[in-house]
Amino acid sequence: CVILTILALLSMVIALIAVSPACQKFFQTSPIYQIYPKSFADSNNDGMGDINGIRSKLAYLGDDLNIETVWLNPVYDSPQIDNGYDVSDYRSIWPLFGTMADMEELITDLHDRGMKLIMDFVPNHTSDQHKWFNASSHPNHTDHEQYKDYYIWVDSTNGTSTGLPNNWQSVFPGNANSPAWEWNENREQFYYHAFYKEQPDLNLRNDQVLQELEDIMAYWMDMGVDGFRCDALAFMLESKSLRDNPLKDDTQPPSYENMYPDYTENQNGVHEIVASWRNLLKKYSSEPGVYRFMETEVYNEDIDIIMRYYGTEWQEEADFPMNFLLIDIGNDPSSWSGKNIEATVLKWMQNMPQSKWPNWVVGNHDNSRLVTRLGEKRARCTSFLTLTLSGTPGIYYGEEIGMTDYSMSDQTDFRDPERTPMQWDDTATAGFCYNCTPWLAVNPNNNDINVEAAKTEPTSMLSMYQDLLQLRSEVTFLRGWLCVVNSTQRSIVFVREMTGTQSYLVAINFDDGSSDTVDLTAFDTILPESGEIVAASDMTTSGNRQLRNLQIEAETGLVISFKRGGYFNQEASMSGRCFNPRKVCVNVIGLLEVC
Amino acid sequence: CVILTILALLSMVIALIAVSPACQKFFQTSPIYQIYPKSFADSNNDGMGDINGIRSKLAYLGDDLNIETVWLNPVYDSPQIDNGYDVSDYRSIWPLFGTMADMEELITDLHDRGMKLIMDFVPNHTSDQHKWFNASSHPNHTDHEQYKDYYIWVDSTNGTSTGLPNNWQSVFPGNANSPAWEWNENREQFYYHAFYKEQPDLNLRNDQVLQELEDIMAYWMDMGVDGFRCDALAFMLESKSLRDNPLKDDTQPPSYENMYPDYTENQNGVHEIVASWRNLLKKYSSEPGVYRFMETEVYNEDIDIIMRYYGTEWQEEADFPMNFLLIDIGNDPSSWSGKNIEATVLKWMQNMPQSKWPNWVVGNHDNSRLVTRLGEKRARCTSFLTLTLSGTPGIYYGEEIGMTDYSMSDQTDFRDPERTPMQWDDTATAGFCYNCTPWLAVNPNNNDINVEAAKTEPTSMLSMYQDLLQLRSEVTFLRGWLCVVNSTQRSIVFVREMTGTQSYLVAINFDDGSSDTVDLTAFDTILPESGEIVAASDMTTSGNRQLRNLQIEAETGLVISFKRGGYFNQEASMSGRCFNPRKVCVNVIGLLEVC
Ligand SMILES: [Ca+2]
Ligand SMILES: [Ca+2]
């Protein structure tokens, strides 16, 4: 009888746990909000965004948007040849962004609010102004011996600066005949740079360099940083053979675009490095409530190469590789068909290893802004998609208010248009700074598009984000099944469902022409006659909606709650179209839990 | 006081454990004796060696040689185009070798003697007579749908048998223009074969194929097999890009030897497969006293590629990749200098990951026999080396009696000379069979070179093996330090030592000219004036030997025990030259143990 009582109590505890999101990590419960630090907020009115500027906006992120996780593009000391991705000191802050003390305050402020900080981590290369490169490139430097093999130095084939080791090309500037090799007069050798010549590649076959990188990660985790977005990982190793990359078109000159990077990207050994970082992160995740996150930036046409960064069944690597599939759909609105989006979603979900966690990115600092590419209503549809799918959505600063590209006449980087200052209000400098000249011109459409206006306008894009982020905090959206139910040329329809909670149907019509009708009669045992619209991308549509032949207005997304007659994930016809990333973890009271 | 008593008892237990070899695995305590089944012993006098023949010789292996671990080249059903490496059924025995019942008896007999069986495992390809290939290559086969992607099928570039997909070449037969693609009339497609065209490569990117291979391993482990020697692992995957391998010499036609196998060997993903096998082996190693072993066959000039098969700090793969560095020294006796051997030993030991276990192979079924290559006395020196170094020596059947190559006029395979029947006695068919015609001619030198004669001759090579195998069972040789002390043009000198046990100095002069003197005066605090010869390769030399200026007779190996004044492994000058593969394991009474 005592045993039965204990068992009964245990069952209650287990039942309680079953609906508790306790074992989801912060990167699962919150979207990741990407801040481009130069452009977010300028606290001292020198025209350059800074860390104290970010600190001043945490109420917006934490309270207005309910964002928990923030990722900063690089804030390390840097000559800023590549917007901070050319780091000259991994352990100090670029003076225009502030000081290390500011950084510590930012971390404290974030943690006080229950928020988390993801830092950019740049392991492939340093700035040519880094002290390692100085010592490495000068044979007479007192520390030369220690640093000489920190970079990839190769002899000339003819003893002079014309004897390039091979045909390898730089990603930047990227035009034809941009060799990835730069001649160094001091060493009378070439060094390799996958990107700008001011970004020499580190020699990651040197154990000392690997140790330096781990020390840097440990330094920032000791400071309290909650994780890393790891930059350009595919480039970490190059073939020791130094053989030419094959050209795509032999009749054209070598260029990054005209070669297959068979000897310069995703070489054997990259995953061993990523795995070693995960093990370091694990060491730093042993305190209760502390978890160190890793996401990876890798572009590749082969989905298997991307997915491999999740790790294997036996060795975890990234929590997720960043998912750029939705960005890859491109800028042509006609590509954003229901069929194409369905195929894109299924491509990630069907290739993702079991028990892993998806993520969705539609914009970042390297791509034209969503509204510019697709128009305002279709941009809403796209965010509607990422915020209601299973997994972690990314939000590029300003995306939530519908900011657009701004092409300047004095543009220095082709990506400047999508990096203009955050539009906080309708004043001349958009509340980014006051009585100042922003480092990049403010988009003059800040008259209409700005946070202040958006907050008070119930149908604004920002209001839509707030609605959807609220909805996303429900357990069905956080960790329920995703079933991709159907698609048409115009629309995609999917369901979020979970035992014991409300089922939701999400329907998005990306077409700007007319409304669409999706036939769902095949599921009439699960779907009732109608359901209730609980969210709409236009922030206007509401009421009940017939479900069997579901009508969706042009360029509109709908979330419809319904009283289910069963589960999509149990239908034979949905095989291969339903996904539930489950993970077993030990919860706070020490019990195994599936979530 | 009770606590002190417990502590005292604990210390005693720990002290006992410290000198116990309990946590060494069978592959560490015994050499691996390689049996080429066709040539070892023929039980039914049909001229072909067989499993019952092997069973009849276990007393020789177990009692005379004190061998614990036996590796069989493939015994699976096969058309024998590549001596059994073309498997037509992984779950049955080639009829000329016997039956599955014979195999079960062999396993039982071995285990009854405390011996272990390693099977060859061929995952890269099957025979074209395998039922999978039959179903895969015939579109009308009833099981075609299930097996169609079991092999690597590629369309012709021009729709006919002349449109080779690319320039990839076969290892066999290996002459110029031996495309690795074979046209199949039924599918009107090419299939890929890294080796003979009768050995189609399996498609290891197909999860079903990977599952088949694991099922085969599980089948044999259920039968009691103790481990696998995994064949040709570098070839397991090919680049999906199908791009041409670069030629070494553009002016010469493509051939296996004239290309860099950049798209056909050691591709990304190979180690994930090997890791999955290790995890399967681990599942089969959970019973007390049971351990499932894996060694890998990979040839590469880049030592890092070989070493990677040990696994990483976080994911074990092979117990060891087979070490062919000593074979790579080649057939020219002048290459077998003391300096070169020292460099070869150091190359393995210095590149091996920490806590891993070395191994040494000097002969196998793909290489000319040691005595033929180097002469009898130098062959003794070579075995003297592998049997006294740290790690597992391999012994190719007959090596222990000094068998030599025999070139026949009717040779069908260029490797036949090193695969002639084992010479058991001086009768016409050498005791391999009786009143029979062996499948390969017996080397007529069996008059002099045979087991029976060797057993009674106290200075025979076999007697030397027996002496050294006895010595090797001492804990100092099993798991003590290896310190590579010095070398000259002619000789190598190393030390085996361990806290609390006898220290030994091993000195081998490979030169056939004259004796050598090695200056060891730098170690006069450790080395006494002289030591006692406890083993000599000529089985004659004995007595005391001066150590400070150590004299070693031409083509002679010596093991000298000495009363040490200290440890080589604690000398600063020996940094990077001393090795002690330590592993922490849980022993039978549940305590952590370093061994
Ligand atoms: Ca690199
Ligand atoms: Ca293969």
Side-chain angles (χ1 to χ4, degrees):
Chain A
C1 182
V2 174
I3 290 171
L4 280 179
T5 311
I6 291 172
L7 281 178
L9 282 170
L10 255 180
S11 327
M12 284 172 62
V13 170
I14 290 167
L16 278 173
I17 293 164
V19 292
S20 136
C23 79
Q24 282 197 306
K25 305 291 196 310
F26 68 84
F27 73 85
Q28 299 173 304
T29 52
S30 167
I32 295 177
Y33 189 92
Q34 177 188 356
I35 290 178
Y36 196 71
K38 285 184 177 175
S39 300
F40 197 61
D42 171 18
S43 70
N44 61 354
N45 301 314
D46 64 354
M48 180 61 67
D50 49 42
I51 290 166
N52 284 333
I54 296 168
R55 287 178 60 211
S56 72
K57 299 298 187 186
L58 298 187
Y60 168 66
L61 297 174
D63 300 341
D64 295 336
L65 276 174
N66 206 20
I67 294 284
E68 194 181 342
T69 309
V70 171
W71 156 39
L72 302 190
N73 284 98
V75 293
Y76 313 104
D77 206 1
S78 163
Q80 301 289 342
I81 299 289
D82 183 26
N83 281 292
Y85 285 97
D86 49 325
V87 180
S88 55
D89 184 353
Y90 289 90
R91 288 183 177 83
S92 70
I93 303 295
W94 189 43
L96 275 76
F97 285 153
T99 64
M100 195 58 92
D102 297 340
M103 194 69 207
E104 290 183 55
E105 301 260 27
L106 172 63
I107 294 170
T108 304
D109 288 357
L110 282 166
H111 288 180
D112 284 352
R113 288 179 169 272
M115 296 172 73
K116 309 289 183 186
L117 182 64
I118 308 303
M119 296 282 274
D120 224 305
F121 180 61
V122 189
N124 180 63
H125 48 262
T126 69
S127 162
D128 62 353
Q129 304 302 307
H130 196 290
K131 66 175 184 186
W132 299 339
F133 190 74
N134 190 30
S136 191
S137 60
H138 288 94
N140 296 327
H141 191 287
T142 48
D143 295 331
H144 178 70
E145 198 53 32
Q146 188 185 344
Y147 294 105
K148 66 179 181 190
D149 293 327
Y150 267 45
Y151 296 86
I152 297 162
W153 295 100
V154 174
D155 287 338
S156 164
T157 54
N158 64 12
T160 77
S161 64
T162 60
L164 290 167
N166 57 36
N167 76 348
W168 296 355
Q169 299 280 304
S170 299
V171 179
F172 303 146
N175 35 312
N177 291 315
S178 301
W181 299 100
E182 183 72 11
W183 180 251
N184 181 275
E185 285 294 347
N186 304 313
R187 284 184 62 139
E188 296 193 311
Q189 280 186 308
F190 289 99
Y191 66 85
Y192 178 73
H193 56 95
F195 300 93
Y196 289 120
K197 70 178 196 298
E198 293 88 354
Q199 294 169 292
D201 271 50
L202 284 165
N203 175 13
L204 297 178
R205 295 190 193 275
N206 180 339
D207 287 340
Q208 283 174 272
V209 173
L210 293 176
Q211 189 58 54
E212 296 271 14
L213 292 173
E214 293 208 4
D215 291 349
I216 290 161
M217 286 183 140
Y219 173 85
W220 285 104
M221 289 192 283
D222 284 333
M223 292 267 296
V225 160
D226 301 286
F228 301 96
R229 176 266 187 193
C230 300
D231 181 67
L233 294 195
F235 296 88
M236 285 203 291
L237 296 174
E238 300 77 32
S239 169
K240 288 187 270 189
S241 77
L242 297 179
R243 282 193 270 282
D244 280 356
N245 276 328
L247 296 185
K248 293 178 180 171
D249 179 348
D250 278 336
T251 67
Q252 296 299 310
S255 70
Y256 180 72
E257 295 300 331
N258 188 31
M259 51 179 52
Y260 298 105
D262 294 337
Y263 296 100
T264 48
E265 294 179 31
N266 290 300
Q267 301 298 294
N268 277 316
V270 163
H271 290 285
E272 285 81 343
I273 298 175
V274 181
S276 74
W277 296 343
R278 165 58 59 190
N279 285 39
L280 181 67
L281 266 55
K282 272 189 185 159
K283 283 186 202 151
Y284 274 87
S285 301
S286 54
E287 265 178 273
V290 173
Y291 184 79
R292 313 292 182 155
F293 164 80
M294 167 167 44
E295 62 178 344
T296 54
E297 184 214 34
V298 175
Y299 290 90
N300 205 285
E301 284 171 21
D302 183 347
I303 190 78
D304 292 343
I305 288 181
I306 306 287
M307 290 297 168
R308 180 62 185 79
Y309 285 84
Y310 273 115
T312 68
E313 210 177 320
W314 314 283
Q315 174 59 50
E316 201 190 344
E317 293 181 17
D319 290 294
F320 47 71
M322 297 172 90
N323 174 356
F324 300 118
L325 293 185
L326 289 172
I327 288 179
D328 293 344
I329 293 180
N331 300 352
D332 178 0
S334 71
S335 302
W336 288 78
S337 68
K339 289 276 173 229
N340 211 359
I341 291 163
E342 178 190 52
T344 305
V345 169
L346 288 176
K347 185 175 180 183
W348 191 271
M349 299 307 293
Q350 291 174 344
N351 284 288
M352 187 176 70
Q354 273 198 320
S355 90
K356 297 296 181 183
W357 184 256
N359 75 105
W360 309 96
V361 176
V362 286
N364 62 24
H365 58 294
D366 289 331
N367 285 281
S368 177
R369 281 185 177 276
L370 212 49
V371 173
T372 300
R373 285 190 277 149
L374 302 177
E376 201 264 358
K377 291 178 83 175
R378 206 183 265 107
R380 285 191 186 220
C381 288
T382 307
S383 299
F384 207 88
L385 177 75
T386 62
L387 291 165
T388 54
L389 283 172
S390 170
T392 302
I395 303 174
Y396 181 53
Y397 84 96
E399 210 166 79
E400 75 278 17
I401 55 169
M403 276 177 63
T404 65
D405 289 356
Y406 180 51
S407 298
M408 293 141 269
S409 53
D410 57 346
Q411 195 169 306
T412 57
D413 188 305
F414 70 98
R415 296 163 300 183
D416 281 349
E418 62 255 26
R419 296 173 175 180
T420 59
M422 177 70 176
Q423 295 166 206
W424 296 101
D425 58 32
D426 63 2
T427 62
T429 50
F432 168 72
C433 53
Y434 295 96
N435 299 318
C436 59
T437 307
W439 77 286
L440 270 188
V442 167
N443 189 326
N445 69 10
N446 77 308
N447 281 329
D448 300 318
I449 301 172
N450 66 68
V451 170
E452 205 174 78
K455 276 161 80 169
T456 58
E457 167 53 56
T459 64
S460 69
M461 175 110 61
L462 184 64
S463 298
M464 183 196 82
Y465 265 79
Q466 288 171 319
D467 262 26
L468 292 175
L469 288 171
Q470 181 60 41
L471 197 60
R472 191 186 173 278
S473 67
E474 285 190 26
V475 70
T476 310
F477 283 93
L478 275 181
R479 52 203 189 92
W481 286 89
L482 165 68
C483 289
V484 182
V485 175
N486 205 346
S487 70
T488 66
Q489 193 51 39
R490 294 171 178 163
S491 309
I492 181 171
V493 175
F494 55 90
V495 157
R496 304 299 311 274
E497 66 184 11
M498 186 174 169
T499 316
T501 70
Q502 177 64 55
S503 280
Y504 295 99
L505 188 140
V506 182
I508 314 174
N509 176 358
F510 284 82
D511 195 275
D512 63 354
S514 57
S515 74
D516 191 19
T517 303
V518 184
D519 180 0
L520 299 174
T521 50
F523 303 98
D524 59 3
T525 59
I526 300 178
L527 290 173
E529 290 278 336
S530 70
E532 186 194 352
I533 295 169
V534 296
S537 65
D538 62 6
M539 296 302 288
T540 305
T541 308
S542 64
N544 282 342
R545 179 79 35 134
Q546 296 298 311
L547 289 181
R548 306 284 170 80
N549 278 290
L550 175 65
Q551 199 192 321
I552 320 157
E553 291 80 355
E555 290 186 307
T556 301
L558 302 172
V559 178
I560 302 168
S561 72
F562 62 93
K563 199 165 150 47
R564 67 177 161 240
Y567 292 98
F568 280 88
N569 72 74
Q570 289 165 9
E571 291 288 294
S573 67
M574 294 299 291
S575 163
R577 301 173 66 89
C578 288
F579 311 95
N580 191 356
R582 280 155 187 278
K583 215 167 185 150
V584 173
C585 63
V586 177
N587 65 26
V588 279
I589 62 160
L591 288 176
L592 277 184
E593 180 179 357
V594 174
C595 62
Chain B
C1 183
V2 173
I3 291 172
L4 280 179
T5 311
I6 290 172
L7 280 177
L9 281 171
L10 255 179
S11 329
M12 284 173 60
V13 171
I14 291 166
L16 277 173
I17 293 163
V19 292
S20 137
C23 79
Q24 282 198 306
K25 306 292 197 308
F26 68 83
F27 72 86
Q28 299 173 304
T29 52
S30 166
I32 295 176
Y33 189 91
Q34 177 186 355
I35 291 179
Y36 196 73
K38 285 185 179 176
S39 300
F40 197 60
D42 171 19
S43 69
N44 61 355
N45 301 313
D46 64 355
M48 180 61 67
D50 48 44
I51 291 167
N52 284 333
I54 297 168
R55 287 176 61 208
S56 72
K57 299 299 185 183
L58 298 187
Y60 169 66
L61 297 173
D63 300 339
D64 294 336
L65 276 174
N66 207 21
I67 295 284
E68 192 181 344
T69 309
V70 171
W71 154 39
L72 301 191
N73 284 97
V75 293
Y76 314 105
D77 205 0
S78 162
Q80 302 287 342
I81 300 291
D82 184 25
N83 280 293
Y85 286 97
D86 49 324
V87 180
S88 55
D89 184 352
Y90 290 91
R91 288 183 176 82
S92 70
I93 302 295
W94 189 43
L96 275 76
F97 285 154
T99 63
M100 194 60 91
D102 296 340
M103 195 68 207
E104 289 182 59
E105 302 260 26
L106 172 63
I107 294 171
T108 304
D109 288 355
L110 283 165
H111 287 180
D112 284 351
R113 288 178 170 272
M115 295 172 75
K116 310 289 182 183
L117 181 65
I118 310 301
M119 295 282 273
D120 224 305
F121 180 61
V122 189
N124 179 64
H125 48 261
T126 69
S127 162
D128 61 354
Q129 303 304 307
H130 196 288
K131 66 175 183 186
W132 299 338
F133 190 75
N134 190 30
S136 191
S137 60
H138 287 94
N140 296 328
H141 192 285
T142 48
D143 295 331
H144 179 69
E145 198 53 34
Q146 187 185 346
Y147 293 104
K148 66 178 180 190
D149 294 326
Y150 267 43
Y151 296 86
I152 298 164
W153 294 101
V154 174
D155 287 338
S156 164
T157 55
N158 64 11
T160 77
S161 64
T162 61
L164 291 167
N166 56 36
N167 77 348
W168 296 355
Q169 298 281 305
S170 300
V171 178
F172 303 145
N175 35 311
N177 291 314
S178 301
W181 300 100
E182 183 73 11
W183 180 251
N184 181 275
E185 284 295 346
N186 304 314
R187 285 185 61 139
E188 295 194 315
Q189 280 186 308
F190 289 99
Y191 67 84
Y192 178 73
H193 57 94
F195 299 92
Y196 288 119
K197 70 176 196 300
E198 294 86 355
Q199 294 168 294
D201 271 49
L202 284 165
N203 175 12
L204 298 178
R205 297 189 192 276
N206 179 339
D207 287 341
Q208 282 173 273
V209 173
L210 294 176
Q211 188 58 54
E212 297 270 15
L213 292 173
E214 293 207 5
D215 291 348
I216 290 162
M217 285 181 141
Y219 173 85
W220 285 104
M221 288 191 285
D222 285 334
M223 293 266 297
V225 159
D226 301 286
F228 301 97
R229 176 267 189 191
C230 300
D231 180 67
L233 295 195
F235 296 88
M236 284 203 292
L237 297 174
E238 301 76 33
S239 170
K240 288 188 269 187
S241 77
L242 296 179
R243 281 192 271 283
D244 280 356
N245 277 328
L247 296 186
K248 293 177 180 172
D249 180 347
D250 280 335
T251 67
Q252 295 301 311
S255 70
Y256 180 73
E257 294 300 331
N258 187 31
M259 49 177 54
Y260 299 105
D262 293 338
Y263 296 100
T264 47
E265 293 180 32
N266 290 297
Q267 301 297 295
N268 278 315
V270 163
H271 290 286
E272 286 81 342
I273 298 174
V274 181
S276 73
W277 296 342
R278 167 55 61 190
N279 285 38
L280 180 67
L281 265 54
K282 272 188 186 160
K283 283 187 202 148
Y284 275 86
S285 301
S286 54
E287 266 178 273
V290 173
Y291 183 79
R292 311 292 182 156
F293 164 80
M294 168 167 41
E295 63 179 342
T296 55
E297 183 215 35
V298 176
Y299 290 89
N300 205 284
E301 283 170 22
D302 183 348
I303 188 79
D304 293 342
I305 287 181
I306 306 287
M307 291 296 168
R308 180 62 185 78
Y309 285 84
Y310 273 114
T312 68
E313 209 177 320
W314 313 284
Q315 173 61 50
E316 199 190 345
E317 294 181 17
D319 290 294
F320 46 71
M322 296 172 90
N323 175 356
F324 301 118
L325 294 184
L326 289 172
I327 288 179
D328 293 343
I329 293 178
N331 299 352
D332 178 0
S334 71
S335 303
W336 288 78
S337 69
K339 289 278 174 225
N340 210 1
I341 291 163
E342 178 190 52
T344 303
V345 170
L346 288 176
K347 184 175 180 184
W348 191 272
M349 299 307 293
Q350 291 174 346
N351 285 287
M352 187 177 68
Q354 273 198 319
S355 89
K356 297 296 181 183
W357 185 257
N359 75 104
W360 309 96
V361 176
V362 285
N364 61 25
H365 58 295
D366 289 331
N367 285 279
S368 176
R369 283 188 176 274
L370 213 48
V371 173
T372 301
R373 285 189 277 151
L374 302 176
E376 201 265 356
K377 291 179 81 176
R378 207 184 264 107
R380 286 190 186 220
C381 288
T382 306
S383 300
F384 207 88
L385 176 74
T386 63
L387 292 165
T388 54
L389 283 171
S390 170
T392 303
I395 303 173
Y396 180 53
Y397 84 96
E399 210 166 80
E400 75 276 18
I401 55 170
M403 276 176 63
T404 65
D405 290 355
Y406 179 52
S407 298
M408 293 143 269
S409 53
D410 57 346
Q411 196 169 305
T412 58
D413 189 304
F414 70 97
R415 297 162 298 184
D416 282 350
E418 61 256 28
R419 296 173 176 177
T420 58
M422 178 69 175
Q423 295 166 207
W424 296 101
D425 60 33
D426 61 3
T427 62
T429 49
F432 167 74
C433 53
Y434 295 96
N435 299 319
C436 58
T437 308
W439 76 286
L440 271 187
V442 168
N443 191 325
N445 68 11
N446 78 309
N447 281 329
D448 301 316
I449 300 173
N450 65 68
V451 171
E452 204 173 80
K455 275 160 81 167
T456 58
E457 168 54 57
T459 64
S460 69
M461 175 112 57
L462 184 65
S463 298
M464 183 197 82
Y465 264 79
Q466 288 171 319
D467 261 25
L468 291 175
L469 287 171
Q470 181 61 38
L471 197 59
R472 192 185 172 277
S473 67
E474 284 190 27
V475 70
T476 311
F477 284 93
L478 274 182
R479 52 203 189 94
W481 287 87
L482 165 69
C483 289
V484 182
V485 175
N486 205 347
S487 71
T488 66
Q489 194 51 41
R490 293 173 177 162
S491 308
I492 182 170
V493 175
F494 54 92
V495 157
R496 305 298 311 273
E497 64 184 12
M498 186 174 171
T499 316
T501 69
Q502 177 65 55
S503 281
Y504 294 98
L505 190 139
V506 182
I508 314 172
N509 177 0
F510 285 83
D511 197 273
D512 63 352
S514 57
S515 75
D516 191 18
T517 303
V518 184
D519 180 359
L520 299 173
T521 51
F523 303 98
D524 60 2
T525 60
I526 300 178
L527 290 173
E529 291 278 335
S530 69
E532 186 193 350
I533 294 169
V534 295
S537 64
D538 63 5
M539 296 300 289
T540 304
T541 308
S542 63
N544 283 342
R545 178 83 32 135
Q546 296 297 311
L547 289 181
R548 306 284 168 80
N549 279 290
L550 174 65
Q551 199 192 321
I552 320 157
E553 291 81 355
E555 291 187 304
T556 301
L558 302 173
V559 178
I560 304 168
S561 71
F562 62 93
K563 200 166 149 48
R564 68 179 159 236
Y567 293 98
F568 280 86
N569 71 74
Q570 289 164 10
E571 291 288 294
S573 68
M574 292 301 291
S575 163
R577 302 173 66 89
C578 288
F579 312 94
N580 191 353
R582 278 156 188 279
K583 214 167 187 151
V584 174
C585 62
V586 178
N587 64 27
V588 279
I589 62 161
L591 288 176
L592 277 183
E593 179 180 358
V594 174
C595 62

